[in-house]
Amino acid sequence: MIMGILAVISFCSLILIVFPAFIPHLDLSTSKTANIGSTLGGVIGPIVSMFSAYLIYEALMAQQEGNRDQRIKGDSDIIFLLLNQLEKEYNAFELDKGSGKIFAYDAIASYANQTKVYANNELTYNSFIDSLSTNRFMYIVRSFMMIRERVALSNFSYEMESMFIKKLEIYYRSRFKFPVKHILDGFGDLSDDVINEIKDFQIKNDVF
């Protein structure tokens, strides 16, 4: 319907300009009155151009806003994916206690408590550090730190970043704080790559 109305208006405009008007004083086909079109074009043209530029500006701003929202959504999706993966890795941590296997926090806490055996010289430091359990524990620690770094690099607002930081804070305190303390109680006086990394992990996350 709109296209039909525009077609009628265009057709009427052509008739008005090309053919003499019914009233001689309104005849737009003469050279004298033809200057009216030039005058109107000179006045209206800049206004139309400015309005077009404004519309383009608004379109670009809307596109930038959409791109920013898309980046935030992408960052959120990645972090939630990493958190889910961290949870799977944590829950998959296992330790054989002889009477059966234990998992997740119970296994990590029991693993960390083995450092007490070191004080009685029943377990050497190297065998503890080189164990499969230590490698798996460090793998989980690095996954946690990767999420922290990913949050810091994201395009979040202050409120959203604080939400993720608080979630990581609770995760650390409930899953890592005491096992890390037990490990460092046993081996904290020593210095090598693994122990130094655990110390750094504790320092960065105890400030939560």
Side-chain angles (χ1 to χ4, degrees), residues 127-146:
S127 64
F128 180 85
I129 292 300
D130 294 336
S131 67
L132 176 62
S133 295
T134 296
N135 289 328
R136 296 181 67 182
F137 178 74
M138 295 307 300
Y139 184 83
I140 298 171
V141 165
R142 289 165 187 169
S143 294
F144 182 91
M145 292 305 298
M146 181 175 65

Side-chain angles (χ1 to χ4, degrees), residues 10-48:
S10 299
F11 181 73
C12 292
S13 299
L14 287 174
I15 294 176
L16 185 64
I17 293 173
V18 175
F19 296 99
F22 293 102
I23 302 175
H25 296 293
L26 298 179
D27 187 359
L28 300 180
S29 63
T30 64
S31 59
K32 183 177 180 180
T33 56
N35 293 328
I36 296 176
S38 299
T39 302
L40 291 175
V43 173
I44 297 175
I47 297 175
V48 173

